[in-house]
Amino acid sequence: KDTSVKENKVEEKYNIVSLTRNISLILKEIGYENVGGTVEEAKDFYPDAKIVGNEKNPDSDLVFEVYPDLIITDSKNHSDILSKMDDYNFKKQCRSLTMPISSTKNLEE
């Protein structure tokens, strides 16, 4: 039985937009680099990613310009962006994880 891990690398087949610093931090910690867009607060984690606004007010036009496969947020405040998927003819399967991650004030602590 082969229990080896592929160089501790996560398979990066999805272009992700992260709408919070905490989510970007988690993605960085697990070694995920295919982040096409992130918020201003997380630009230090993904300097090549498109900045899609800030956590409190991400710009839906910028989010969808990245053509994400997956949009991840831990904020209930981003439901407006997710509701616009039909307006952008966003055909790919897209899910948002709304979990109580934000109950942790700062994940780096």
Side-chain angles (χ1 to χ4, degrees):
K1 183 176 177 181
D2 183 14
T3 58
S4 64
V5 178
K6 290 182 183 177
E7 300 175 22
N8 292 331
K9 194 76 172 148
V10 178
E11 186 178 349
E12 300 187 23
K13 64 182 190 177
Y14 297 109
N15 176 28
I16 293 177
V17 169
S18 168
L19 295 181
T20 69
R21 179 175 172 82
N22 285 346
I23 294 296
S24 294
L25 172 62
I26 291 168
L27 292 169
K28 193 60 144 175
E29 287 295 317
I30 65 170
Y32 201 90
E33 293 297 328
N34 195 18
V35 174
T38 191
V39 290
E40 180 73 29
E41 295 86 346
K43 66 182 179 183
D44 52 324
F45 296 130
Y46 295 101
D48 295 331
K50 183 176 195 81
I51 302 302
V52 297
N54 60 49
E55 282 189 8
K56 292 187 192 257
N57 192 22
D59 184 320
S60 56
D61 289 331
L62 296 175
V63 168
F64 289 100
E65 280 177 15
V66 176
Y67 296 102
D69 295 304
L70 186 66
I71 299 169
I72 306 177
T73 181
D74 68 350
S75 173
K76 295 175 190 164
N77 301 329
H78 298 148
S79 60
D80 58 322
I81 286 181
L82 302 174
S83 70
K84 292 180 181 180
M85 285 189 274
D86 289 336
D87 297 341
Y88 287 86
N89 294 320
F90 193 69
K91 303 289 186 206
K92 296 179 183 177
Q93 182 180 12
C94 184
R95 297 182 184 190
S96 167
L97 305 177
T98 305
M99 304 292 284
I101 295 174
S102 52
S103 62
T104 305
K105 193 165 193 166
N106 184 344
L107 288 180
E108 291 169 310
E109 293 173 354

